[in-house]
Amino acid sequence: MRASLILVTLLGKFLRVAARLRGGGSAFPGYVVLKLMPDFIARATAQLEHGVIVVLGSNGKSTTTNMVTGIVSAHGDRVFTNPTGANMPQGVASSLLGSLTLTGRLPFDIGVVEVDEAYGEVICRALKPRAGVMLNVQIDQIYRLFEPDRVAGMFDRIARQIDGTLVLNRDDAFLGALGDRLIADEGRDVVWFGVADSVLGAAKHGQVLARNYDAEAAGTVAVDRPVAVEVMRSEGAEVTLRVHDDSHDLTLSARGLHNAVDAAAAIAVSEAAFGDDFSVDTAVAALGSMKTVYGRGELITVGDREVEIVLMKSLASLQMNLDGFTATPDSVLMAFDEHSRDPSWLYAADLSIIERVECLSGPKAVFLALRLEYAGIPYERTETDVEKAVQSLLDGPRPASGRHTLILDYDQMILVRRYLGYRDLEAGAA
């Protein structure tokens, strides 16, 4: 059995090298390995002495995974984690291939794994998580996941595969109903995190959570659920978290209520996993010192100015990012890729924080132009080639703020980062 794992690992590593020589990371090696050894993920991660923590949700998975990894590392554990975006079975397998030794050994103590909800049941069955956190149910990737009710059903089935503590967003109507049901029917260990009413009331669009119409009809949305970690203040990147009875102030690497919520979730699931060995002071210090996950409010210095990358992969992600602005951005580029199958959701976004756009880019730049016309937001020009568009900003006058804000969909974000010299691509780049 051990020999077969070694052989499959060697083949997978060879495929990874070949894929990188062809120009970047790839999930293909993981796909091949899983065909040859369907239980590869289970066999590899069974070596982790302290088990696995999984992170799920419509949005915020990558940021929360990064935060949990930082917290767990600060507690002294060696952490295996999957690169941002490598959250499907083949991506997880490819990440494992990058971490296994040539003899098939996984030299880590614990795993922190981001999991795609559509494949969560299968992946969690293999990982046997000791703890898991579910962040939110939002309207996201409608072409793939359809209605929020369907995603909630996925989370219900995934929860059955998590043996240990389940950490849930108290303010999410779907997750609240799930947790209440698991507690009542199965006596499950559920821990809640959430946002204080005063903070939610000050947030223009709240957490942009999907509505659970069944729960609303039954009158079970507003249920008292005691939280372990609560966001008490969110002002830009300045955050106050109440952990049980104590308050902690910290500065996150990216602004916005959504990042504060992710920080609360990260602390809650880390404490659930570590128990008495958990130190909240260590966790807060780790959160205050870590870098932003790339493409998610990331700041890149180019010459005498900053480039800020804001991701718009769905209505929820864009709205939360726009709501996180503390001032109107004075130099904006927006880019949409042809791979965004149905960008009509953009018409539901509140773009009022944007007063002017310098350049529209990507294959669907014309679509963006039409959306801005309806919103009454002026734009200066269009340039479908995003690399040329970004360079035109960098060659132009330095904005008063010293910062160019690039609002990009997923594929255009990858292209821009690569153009700016950041080649740590997602989904198996390690």
Side-chain angles (χ1 to χ4, degrees):
M1 294 289 287
R2 178 72 177 178
S4 60
L5 178 61
I6 293 173
L7 288 174
V8 167
T9 298
L10 290 173
L11 173 61
K13 284 184 172 292
F14 169 78
L15 292 174
R16 278 176 58 84
V17 172
R20 290 179 68 84
L21 289 175
R22 294 180 64 244
S26 173
F28 178 70
Y31 172 82
V32 173
V33 163
L34 289 175
K35 284 294 184 182
L36 296 172
M37 181 179 285
D39 63 345
F40 172 77
I41 293 175
R43 292 178 62 179
T45 56
Q47 303 177 56
L48 296 169
E49 181 181 357
H50 297 162
V52 176
I53 300 170
V54 292
V55 179
L56 302 109
S58 296
N59 282 292
K61 294 187 292 293
S62 299
T63 297
T64 305
T65 299
N66 183 53
M67 289 177 170
V68 177
T69 298
I71 291 172
V72 172
S73 297
H75 278 78
D77 273 17
R78 298 171 298 170
V79 186
F80 161 76
T81 190
N82 49 334
T84 308
N87 56 16
M88 298 183 187
Q90 61 270 28
V92 174
S94 286
S95 299
L96 285 166
L97 286 170
S99 298
L100 287 164
T101 67
L102 294 176
T103 59
R105 190 173 70 87
L106 190 61
F108 299 94
D109 304 307
I110 192 170
V112 179
V113 180
E114 174 186 333
V115 178
D116 178 89
E117 53 266 39
Y119 295 89
E121 187 177 5
V122 172
I123 295 175
C124 288
R125 187 180 300 126
L127 294 175
K128 297 179 173 60
R130 63 182 294 179
V133 58
M134 296 181 180
L135 302 168
N136 44 51
V137 178
Q138 298 172 327
I139 297 175
D140 181 52
Q141 300 184 46
I142 294 176
Y143 67 91
R144 185 170 77 96
L145 299 173
F146 310 125
E147 296 294 332
D149 303 70
R150 181 169 182 254
V151 176
M154 294 173 182
F155 285 158
D156 190 300
R157 293 187 294 275
I158 292 167
R160 317 290 171 174
Q161 304 299 327
I162 299 175
D163 295 330
T165 303
L166 196 60
V167 179
L168 302 175
N169 186 339
R170 173 198 62 186
D171 307 315
D172 188 293
F174 283 104
L175 297 179
L178 171 61
D180 292 343
R181 187 166 60 252
L182 291 173
I183 293 170
D185 296 347
E186 303 178 17
R188 286 289 301 274
D189 183 15
V190 174
V191 171
W192 305 100
F193 65 92
V195 180
D197 290 341
S198 59
V199 178
L200 276 178
K204 191 172 183 179
H205 300 93
Q207 296 183 57
V208 201
L209 300 169
R211 292 178 63 181
N212 183 341
Y213 293 98
D214 289 340
E216 290 177 19
T220 57
V221 173
V223 176
D224 183 23
R225 304 179 180 105
V227 294
V229 187
E230 188 171 29
V231 178
M232 305 302 294
R233 178 177 66 102
S234 177
E235 300 173 356
E238 302 297 320
V239 172
T240 299
L241 299 179
R242 180 177 60 80
V243 184
H244 301 296
D245 296 326
D246 298 321
S247 292
H248 301 267
D249 297 325
L250 67 153
T251 302
L252 299 175
S253 57
R255 63 182 176 231
L257 177 59
H258 54 310
N259 286 297
V261 173
D262 292 343
I267 288 180
V269 75
S270 298
E271 181 182 36
F274 276 90
D276 292 340
D277 294 328
F278 177 78
S279 166
V280 65
D281 291 333
T282 299
V284 169
L287 289 175
S289 62
M290 65 180 51
K291 296 180 179 179
T292 307
V293 176
Y294 72 80
R296 278 83 172 171
E298 180 182 25
L299 287 177
I300 297 172
T301 300
V302 181
D304 64 344
R305 59 194 78 183
E306 291 180 327
V307 174
E308 177 184 32
I309 298 179
V310 175
L311 191 61
M312 56 170 176
K313 72 182 185 70
S314 68
L315 172 62
S317 72
L318 174 60
Q319 196 64 72
M320 293 295 284
N321 279 314
L322 293 178
D323 290 352
F325 285 128
T326 55
T328 299
D330 60 354
S331 176
V332 178
L333 178 149
M334 299 180 70
F336 234 112
D337 199 273
E338 61 188 356
H339 295 109
S340 296
R341 302 186 189 182
D342 178 13
S344 61
W345 57 262
L346 195 59
Y347 280 85
D350 178 2
L351 306 178
S352 58
I353 190 66
I354 301 173
E355 294 182 353
R356 180 182 67 90
V357 175
E358 284 191 51
C359 187
L360 300 175
S361 189
K364 287 186 175 176
V366 174
F367 175 87
L368 290 173
L370 181 62
R371 174 64 184 99
L372 293 186
E373 289 283 359
Y374 272 98
I377 300 172
Y379 63 92
E380 294 184 5
R381 63 187 182 279
T382 61
E383 168 55 69
T384 56
D385 186 317
V386 73
E387 295 181 357
K388 292 180 180 178
V390 169
Q391 191 59 53
S392 71
L393 287 188
L394 297 176
D395 291 339
R398 183 179 186 273
S401 67
R403 177 180 298 179
H404 299 292
T405 299
L406 312 184
I407 303 176
L408 312 171
D409 74 356
Y410 189 88
D411 295 293
Q412 294 290 286
M413 180 268 288
I414 296 293
L415 291 175
V416 167
R417 290 192 82 258
R418 186 177 346 190
Y419 178 69
L420 293 176
Y422 293 80
R423 306 193 63 84
D424 48 336
L425 304 182
E426 298 200 351

